[in-house]
Amino acid sequence: MLADIDTDDLTEVVRYALETTRATTACPFHRDVIVRIGDDAAESHAFERAKRIVRCDGAEWDKEALRAELGRQLGAAADGRCPKCDPTASCT
């Protein structure tokens, strides 16, 4: 819920937008693993949702900062499935 996030924290705002549009999800067995669903429409929707979240002082987020953080979080997420649950994942 939006009331549960710090709207002055860019990382939280983008995480909220990605999760609520179902562009990413946490593995139900490994809550520390974020999985990228791979839905381009959901990712675009997440950017639009994040753009509309304003800071506590009423200021809007810089679009380039949002794009960069969105890219960072999507890049850090596991693609399609949790690597801890996937028996075919290579051990590193």
Side-chain angles (χ1 to χ4, degrees), residues 4-90:
D4 296 337
I5 69 165
D6 178 4
T7 59
D8 285 335
D9 183 340
L10 179 61
T11 301
E12 280 191 46
V13 167
V14 171
R15 184 182 312 120
Y16 169 83
L18 287 168
E19 289 176 359
T20 58
T21 58
R22 294 190 171 61
T24 62
T25 189
C27 172
F29 304 107
H30 306 99
R31 300 299 291 170
D32 61 320
V33 177
I34 302 298
V35 179
R36 181 179 186 174
I37 304 304
D39 182 344
D40 292 339
E43 291 173 11
S44 295
H45 186 195
F47 175 73
E48 292 301 319
R49 178 167 289 174
K51 268 190 346 188
R52 287 168 176 72
I53 297 173
V54 295
R55 297 181 193 188
C56 290
D57 64 1
E60 294 181 352
W61 285 101
D62 177 65
K63 290 180 180 74
E64 288 307 312
L66 284 172
R67 280 189 190 95
E69 182 61 21
L70 192 81
R72 187 193 70 74
Q73 287 190 32
L74 288 172
D79 283 332
R81 65 178 90 185
C82 174
K84 292 181 179 180
C85 292
D86 185 4
T88 62
S90 62

